[in-house]
Amino acid sequence: MGMLKNFIACVLLVVLFLQNSCFEAGLSANVTYDHRALVIDGKRRVLQSGSIHYPRSTPEVWPELIRKSKEGGLEVIETYVFWNYHEPIRGQYYFEGRFDLVRFVKTVQEAGLFLHLRIGPYACAEWNYGGFPVWLHFIPGIQFRTTNNPFKEEMKRFLAKIIDLMKQENLFASQGGPIILAQVENEYGNVEWAYGVGGELYVKWAADTAVNLNTSVPWVMCQQEDAPDPIINTCNGFYCDGFTPNSPSKPIMWTENYSGWFLSFGYAVPFRPVEDLAFAVARFFETGGTFQNYYMYFGGTNFGRTAGGPLVATSYDYDAPIDEYGFIRQPKWGHLRELHKAIKLCEEYLISSDPTHQKLGAKLEAHIYHKSSNDCAAFLANYDSSSDANVTFNGNVYFLPAWSVSILPDCKNVVFNTAKVISQRNNGDHPFAQQKNVNELLLASSAFSWYEEKVGISGNRSFVRPDLAEQINTTKDTSDYLWYTASIHVMPGQGKEVFLNIESLGHAALVFVNKKLVAFGYGNHDFANFLINKKIELNEGINTLDILSMMVGLQTTFLAPEGKGPLALNLASMGKGQAWVNGQSIGRYWSAYLAPSTGCTKKCDYRGSYDASKCQKHCGQPAQTLYHIPRTWVHPGENLLVIHEELGGDPSKISLLTKTGQHICSFVSEADPPPVDSWKPNLGVVSSSPQVRLACERGWHIAAINFASYGIPEGNCGSFRPGACHMDVLPIVQKACVGQIECSIPVSSAYLGVSAGACPGLLKALAVEAHCSI
């Protein structure tokens, strides 16, 4: 009976929500591929995927992140495997806590989703040392990522370790598990040229090694044009609609579609408009793609010292559909969800034929997929970056905004356009930006005790050598800090003013002369090395020169705020350093490093090709001042916060933030399309009215409607106001929404009780602002 219930639930989910994977744990699946798509149990599949890196969150929130991903329309979760944390010492393995890979894969399986395991073992991913363990560096004769026996032996051993672990837990699809894809190496094609013939031989060796591990699922190599058969070469980038695999027998797959970009200290905050992201996805499926993955769907946090370099920030938010704290980012999540629904309506057509191209005008085109001669789905595209257009297709006229794609699952009705965003929006660009929905606990300066470290080398771990020691070789990557100390003897009569010149390949350095700070140098993400040229004054006799970091250790205790949600530690008043909560490192901070004051725009035009510097915000401010503390890292009663501050700051202004509510809003006009799920195969559009749809985060409900106007309301989310034509529909919206977790309001005069003759000749819209709370 339980199996029957599960089967019925599964069928309902397939019919009612995007036909998600919905496989039964324990039922084996055969995964292959042909030129059109991955083939699972004999059926081609069109798949939406998203990256979630298990160590960038905590096991307690994995189920919620995966649930939100599934509700957003994903069928696959993609993750790297991080060698340096799984094997910190050669032969000694670690798979616990945030690094419990098996638990993560099983959590994906329990949600009914597939998994793409990117073993690498090189990851990049803005992860420390690219995921390689530092001990590799000290193996005699080793050369990374080339035809080098010591490296190949270690790489093969780790690949086999992970594959065997997955097999032991029955996690490959052929064993009834969720893993349908595996990846070896990572973006090696970007650097292969530098290795010459050794690089070519290494690619063949890596491919053969992977295939011989007998995973029973296809292997991929991303950004690898010369990936040998049967390895599938895949595309990474902001756009992949022009990508062609290196063999006509391989499907078109996109393993990294950047939902935004990573954050670096000293830089403005990058973001990617959802209109452009949706355009890129729609173009990919329009032109023949059948598998695409958002990098990232949830970015998370670079806890501890996991952030790679140079100068990658602790936040790995990535402007992803689910933000660093696990909250849904709107309208990005909602708009992509509608896109996924629209593409899913076309799946049977996409897997039945190759696309037929039809030119509709200058930078205007259609791609049509047929199941039969008179049964088709179509994508209409305007890839001009500035001009809107009207196009004629199948005898009908369609309006296409610039840089947009319309999806027609029956070659007649438009169910989605990438440039028309009608999903609800969040007020504010950060989950803790809405002051009315945030509690702030100030940690009083009197609660801090501190210890100021003396300048220079101390302790019994010092050593003397005639030249400078390289930092990674010396610290074995166990610390961010290393002191260099030298003595300078000035004889009587010698000049006391000298120039100090330091050329560093590191990221930052503090310089002390005779125990007094004289200089601070640092680079940035693009150019991490830096120069210090400084005139200094010496004394007669012995002078000391100390280079590195002054560390001031601060600790206090604090009481955990009430609630179950994540916490944010506000370190805006501090300089540079690291922070720990109850012994768990929340990462590095550098609040004193401001982004350039120029380069940001109030509103970024989504039209035209995107790159990481096109859309930026928070110029002239620190890249990051709020730091994620997972709720499971604090406990009732007193908790210990420890800060290692290098530059000095004001700890009296450190505070803890908790989110107590959510302000959401929506603006939908009569001209907008009805929801994608109102269109049913063989029936067409069931409901002709667009709808305002509002939904709170799980655990909250709509407590109040703060604004509701039907007519031509003005303003933006958080500051809507009645326009010249205004009909007060507040009571109607309140009745439909207050007390609910989610609600829908048709944008029609009939439903809203407004006379059809009201505001004649005007295109009316409904604007709503709501407040969610517990």
Side-chain angles (χ1 to χ4, degrees):
M1 185 64 181
M3 289 290 288
L4 178 60
K5 288 182 178 178
N6 287 341
F7 175 76
I8 294 172
C10 185
V11 172
L12 287 174
L13 182 60
V14 170
V15 174
L16 297 178
F17 188 76
L18 297 182
Q19 300 177 359
N20 268 342
S21 310
C22 202
F23 65 91
E24 291 272 0
L27 297 181
S28 62
N30 180 43
V31 185
T32 58
Y33 66 83
D34 62 19
H35 82 287
R36 281 298 297 131
L38 289 179
V39 179
I40 302 177
D41 282 343
K43 182 176 177 60
R44 290 173 175 170
R45 295 298 304 271
V46 173
L47 296 171
Q48 304 289 351
S49 174
S51 291
I52 298 177
H53 296 160
Y54 51 100
R56 283 175 160 145
S57 58
T58 58
E60 294 77 14
V61 300
W62 291 343
E64 183 72 359
L65 297 175
I66 294 166
R67 178 188 68 81
K68 289 177 177 178
S69 301
K70 184 174 182 178
E71 288 184 1
L74 299 193
E75 295 134 307
V76 184
I77 300 297
E78 183 178 286
T79 187
Y80 282 119
V81 176
F82 300 93
W83 186 3
N84 53 354
Y85 279 78
H86 288 306
E87 193 178 6
I89 299 173
R90 189 180 187 280
Q92 297 182 21
Y93 297 99
Y94 182 79
F95 292 95
E96 299 177 16
R98 292 186 292 118
F99 294 92
D100 191 339
L101 175 60
V102 168
R103 179 176 174 181
F104 179 77
V105 177
K106 288 184 175 180
T107 303
V108 172
Q109 181 178 26
E110 289 163 3
L113 299 184
F114 296 125
L115 187 124
H116 177 195
L117 193 66
R118 307 178 77 186
I119 308 173
Y122 178 72
C124 184
E126 293 72 54
W127 188 266
N128 193 33
Y129 221 45
F132 282 161
V134 171
W135 54 258
L136 272 182
H137 181 72
F138 301 100
I139 294 177
I142 199 166
Q143 289 180 293
F144 291 0
R145 304 176 80 193
T146 189
T147 304
N148 172 268
N149 285 335
F151 177 75
K152 290 195 296 184
E153 288 173 7
E154 296 299 331
M155 174 173 166
K156 182 177 181 180
R157 185 175 57 81
F158 183 73
L159 284 171
K161 172 68 177 180
I162 297 301
I163 296 299
D164 289 345
L165 181 63
M166 297 299 105
K167 287 181 178 179
Q168 290 166 12
E169 298 289 339
N170 296 319
L171 293 176
F172 284 103
S174 61
Q175 302 173 296
I179 302 174
I180 60 169
L181 281 172
Q183 177 177 303
V184 64
E185 250 298 335
N186 186 67
E187 295 185 331
Y188 187 72
N190 295 341
V191 297
E192 182 181 346
W193 61 271
Y195 293 91
V197 174
E200 297 176 15
L201 294 174
Y202 168 68
V203 170
K204 294 177 181 178
W205 171 85
D208 289 342
T209 299
V211 172
N212 289 335
L213 288 169
N214 298 318
T215 62
S216 72
V217 301
W219 284 88
V220 305
M221 281 182 163
C222 64
Q223 295 292 87
Q224 196 65 53
E225 292 182 358
D226 59 348
D229 292 345
I231 307 292
I232 306 170
N233 65 305
T234 65
C235 182
N236 290 356
F238 290 112
Y239 308 94
C240 283
D241 50 285
F243 174 73
T244 302
N246 63 11
S247 166
S249 65
K250 299 177 183 179
I252 301 172
M253 298 177 63
W254 192 359
T255 39
E256 291 188 15
N257 174 11
Y258 306 121
S259 57
W261 201 242
F262 60 87
L263 183 64
S264 297
F265 290 123
Y267 283 59
V269 178
F271 66 96
R272 187 178 187 185
V274 69
E275 296 93 334
D276 176 69
L277 182 56
F279 172 78
V281 173
R283 286 285 284 168
F284 176 72
F285 286 99
E286 172 192 350
T287 55
T290 51
F291 178 102
Q292 79 90 24
N293 175 78
Y294 296 101
Y295 188 99
M296 302 291 295
Y297 199 79
F298 163 80
T301 305
N302 291 317
F303 295 115
R305 300 177 59 253
T306 58
L311 282 70
V312 172
T314 296
S315 171
Y316 202 67
D317 180 86
Y318 227 91
D319 195 38
I322 303 175
D323 71 28
E324 178 185 3
Y325 295 84
F327 296 112
I328 288 173
R329 173 174 276 117
Q330 296 284 26
K332 183 167 278 189
W333 183 90
H335 192 54
L336 295 177
R337 182 177 190 250
E338 293 298 295
L339 169 63
H340 302 154
K341 291 179 181 179
I343 293 171
K344 186 58 65 173
L345 290 173
C346 303
E347 180 172 20
E348 292 301 315
Y349 301 89
L350 293 171
I351 63 175
S352 297
S353 68
D354 293 323
T356 300
H357 176 260
Q358 181 177 333
K359 189 171 179 60
L360 301 177
K363 298 186 177 181
L364 299 165
E365 63 186 10
H367 285 82
I368 305 102
Y369 292 85
H370 288 89
K371 279 203 295 186
S372 63
S373 58
N374 60 352
D375 189 8
C376 64
F379 295 74
L380 311 183
N382 178 357
Y383 54 97
D384 191 284
S385 61
S386 57
S387 299
D388 300 339
N390 289 302
V391 300
T392 300
F393 173 72
N394 277 359
N396 297 315
V397 177
Y398 300 90
F399 173 68
L400 286 177
W403 207 254
S404 79
V405 176
S406 286
I407 299 176
L408 293 67
D410 58 357
C411 279
K412 297 176 184 178
N413 294 290
V414 174
V415 297
F416 183 86
N417 178 271
T418 59
K420 291 188 175 183
V421 181
I422 59 174
S423 298
Q424 77 175 45
R425 298 174 182 268
N426 295 338
N427 184 18
D429 63 358
H430 192 280
F432 293 92
Q434 304 170 23
Q435 292 184 356
K436 293 181 179 179
N437 297 317
V438 173
N439 277 342
E440 183 171 14
L441 172 66
L442 196 65
L443 307 186
S445 60
S446 59
F448 280 97
S449 61
W450 64 88
Y451 165 76
E452 183 169 340
E453 182 179 325
K454 294 179 180 179
V455 173
I457 291 173
S458 62
N460 58 7
R461 300 181 66 186
S462 61
F463 58 90
V464 178
R465 56 184 293 173
D467 57 350
L468 286 174
E470 197 276 328
Q471 184 170 346
I472 291 292
N473 285 336
T474 305
T475 67
K476 305 295 191 292
D477 197 37
T478 59
S479 171
D480 282 353
Y481 308 106
L482 179 65
W483 281 107
Y484 298 88
T485 295
S487 296
I488 304 172
H489 189 202
V490 177
M491 300 295 290
Q494 285 185 326
K496 296 181 181 179
E497 287 191 348
V498 297
F499 275 93
L500 175 67
N501 178 267
I502 298 175
E503 298 182 11
S504 176
L505 297 178
H507 301 163
L510 288 163
V511 181
F512 300 83
V513 174
N514 294 325
K515 311 304 180 186
K516 293 183 179 180
L517 180 65
V518 297
F520 177 41
Y522 52 89
N524 58 46
H525 174 73
D526 294 315
F527 303 98
N529 54 308
F530 60 92
L531 298 176
I532 295 177
N533 288 293
K534 180 80 174 180
K535 181 189 288 187
I536 62 174
E537 187 169 322
L538 302 177
N539 302 323
E540 285 188 3
I542 301 298
N543 296 262
T544 60
L545 173 65
D546 298 291
I547 303 173
L548 195 75
S549 297
M550 176 183 69
M551 289 164 41
V552 180
L554 300 170
Q555 65 178 45
T556 184
T557 56
F558 66 91
L559 296 177
E562 294 181 358
K564 298 180 180 179
L567 309 175
L569 183 67
N570 187 344
L571 295 175
S573 65
M574 303 305 288
K576 177 182 182 294
Q578 298 185 43
W580 291 259
V581 171
N582 294 328
Q584 299 274 10
S585 174
I586 63 172
R588 305 178 179 107
Y589 66 88
W590 200 344
S591 306
Y593 198 171
L594 303 184
S597 59
T598 59
C600 295
T601 55
K602 208 165 190 181
K603 186 175 181 181
C604 182
D605 188 348
Y606 70 87
R607 300 174 301 175
S609 295
Y610 177 85
D611 60 51
S613 62
K614 179 180 179 180
C615 302
Q616 299 184 98
K617 57 189 177 183
H618 304 322
C619 285
Q621 301 177 37
Q624 182 179 0
T625 58
L626 298 180
Y627 291 80
H628 178 203
I629 303 176
R631 175 62 71 162
T632 53
W633 287 8
V634 300
H635 49 252
E638 290 190 344
N639 295 264
L640 181 64
L641 169 66
V642 175
I643 302 233
H644 273 206
E645 171 60 48
E646 303 166 29
L647 304 179
D650 185 356
S652 69
K653 296 180 180 177
I654 295 176
S655 61
L656 273 175
L657 305 179
T658 56
K659 192 172 174 67
T660 60
Q662 179 186 25
H663 188 85
I664 58 177
C665 56
S666 182
F667 182 99
V668 179
S669 80
E670 295 172 319
D672 287 323
V676 175
D677 54 18
S678 69
W679 193 94
K680 305 297 180 185
N682 303 320
L683 296 177
V685 178
V686 175
S687 170
S688 60
S689 296
Q691 296 178 17
V692 162
R693 288 184 169 182
L694 301 173
C696 299
E697 289 278 350
R698 177 177 280 193
W700 292 342
H701 67 275
I702 300 173
I705 301 296
N706 300 328
F707 180 89
S709 175
Y710 181 56
I712 50 173
E714 300 175 348
N716 299 307
C717 182
S719 59
F720 284 138
R721 58 188 181 275
C725 171
H726 162 67
M727 284 149 280
D728 185 4
V729 293
L730 185 62
I732 295 173
V733 177
Q734 286 175 326
K735 183 178 180 181
C737 297
V738 172
Q740 305 298 315
I741 297 174
E742 58 185 34
C743 63
S744 300
I745 306 103
V747 182
S748 72
S749 296
Y751 178 85
L752 295 170
V754 174
S755 168
C759 301
L762 294 177
L763 182 66
K764 294 183 282 294
L766 175 61
V768 178
E769 291 182 359
H771 181 256
C772 299
S773 64
I774 296 176

